[in-house]
Amino acid sequence: MVSIYDWFGYGVPIKERYKLIKEAGFEAVLLWWSDGFGRGAGYREGVKLARSAGLLIENIHTPVQQQNDLSLDNLAGESLLDCYLQCIKDCSDFDIPTMVVHLPSDQYPLNELGMNRIKKITEIAEDYRIKVAMENLFNVSNVAGVLDSIPSEQIGFCYDCCHHANNETAGDLLGKYGNRLMALHLHDNGGEKKQHQLPMDGNIDWIDVMRKISETGYKGSTALEPMNWDYENISIEEFLLKAFEKVKRLEKMRFEL
C-alpha cells in the first residue's frame, strides 16, 4: 500500500484534493490534525471526505507549534498534554489507529515532569488502544529516552528518513528502534529548504533507506511526506502523478531488497 501526507500545498479544497490523490493511485493518506498552517477549523471533516474518496487513513500528525513545551511547569505545558490526550480520543472516535508526535528538540530535554506526561499519554493510549509514534527530528535524545524507558506496545517510532539524513549525530535509528516502527515519513533533502522534496530529487541513498526499512519487517504503507515548495510551477495533478511514480519505485525497492 502507498500513502501520502494530505496537506502538501496547493490551494485546492480538501474534497477535491482527496479525489485527486485517489485518482493518482494512492490508497491511503496521513492527515494533518490541526487548524494550523492554513488547514482551518474543519480539519476533522477530512476523515469523512477521505474515506468517501476511497482512501484509508493511516495516521494523523498532531500539532507541532508548541512541541517544545512538554516539560514546562505552566499552562503551556498542560495545554500541550491536553492536546495530545485529545488527539488520542479523536483517533478512537474516528477509528484511526495511529498518531504521530514531535517530542521536544534536544535543546529542551525531557525532565521528570515531561516524562510523567509521557507516562500519562501512554496510559490513555493503552486505554484507547491507539498507537503513538514518536518522530525523529533534532530530538533523538528525547526520542531515545522515551522509547528506552517506555516499553508499551502503544508507544513507538515514526521514522523520517529526511530528518535522519540531515542529522549527522542521529546514529542507526532503524537498527535501534525498527522493532518499534509504527509510521514512515519518506521525503528527500534537496531544494531550498533541504527537506520535503519528492524522493530521488535530493541526496538520500534510497536503496539503503528502503533496505533498512525492509529489514525491520514493518507492515505499514510506504508513506510519502512531501511539500510542493519546489514544485509550484506544476499543477497539483502533475505533482501527485510524480509523487505516485516515485513512491511506487520506493515500494518496489522495499519489497525486493
Side-chain angles (χ1 to χ4, degrees), residues 61-194:
H61 199 309
T62 62
V64 301
Q65 290 90 336
Q66 282 77 46
Q67 65 187 41
N68 293 325
D69 294 346
L70 194 58
S71 289
L72 297 182
D73 188 8
N74 58 22
L75 290 177
E78 284 299 308
S79 176
L80 183 60
L81 173 62
D82 290 343
C83 172
Y84 291 152
L85 297 182
Q86 184 60 54
C87 286
I88 293 172
K89 295 171 185 176
D90 286 347
C91 283
S92 178
D93 288 344
F94 289 105
D95 195 24
I96 299 170
T98 305
M99 68 187 224
V100 174
V101 169
H102 284 188
L103 289 172
S105 298
D106 282 339
Q107 61 185 301
Y108 305 96
L110 287 172
N111 59 18
E112 182 178 1
L113 176 59
M115 286 304 299
N116 284 337
R117 286 175 173 153
I118 291 293
K119 291 174 183 177
K120 180 63 175 179
I121 290 167
T122 303
E123 175 187 337
I124 301 303
E126 289 177 340
D127 287 344
Y128 284 89
R129 305 304 299 167
I130 299 300
K131 293 182 171 66
V132 181
M134 308 300 178
E135 179 180 352
N136 62 288
L137 295 99
F138 287 94
N139 62 355
V140 292
S141 291
N142 282 331
V143 170
V146 168
L147 295 181
D148 290 345
S149 61
I150 306 289
S152 171
E153 292 184 359
Q154 304 309 121
I155 302 297
F157 182 43
C158 171
Y159 178 65
D160 188 304
C161 65
C162 183
H163 296 327
H164 190 192
N166 289 343
N167 184 354
E168 296 178 355
T169 66
D172 183 8
L173 294 175
L174 286 172
K176 292 178 181 177
Y177 303 116
N179 64 329
R180 305 279 296 275
L181 194 59
M182 294 177 171
L184 293 175
H185 285 171
L186 304 177
H187 52 111
D188 220 324
N189 64 348
E192 182 178 350
K193 298 187 180 183
K194 307 300 182 187

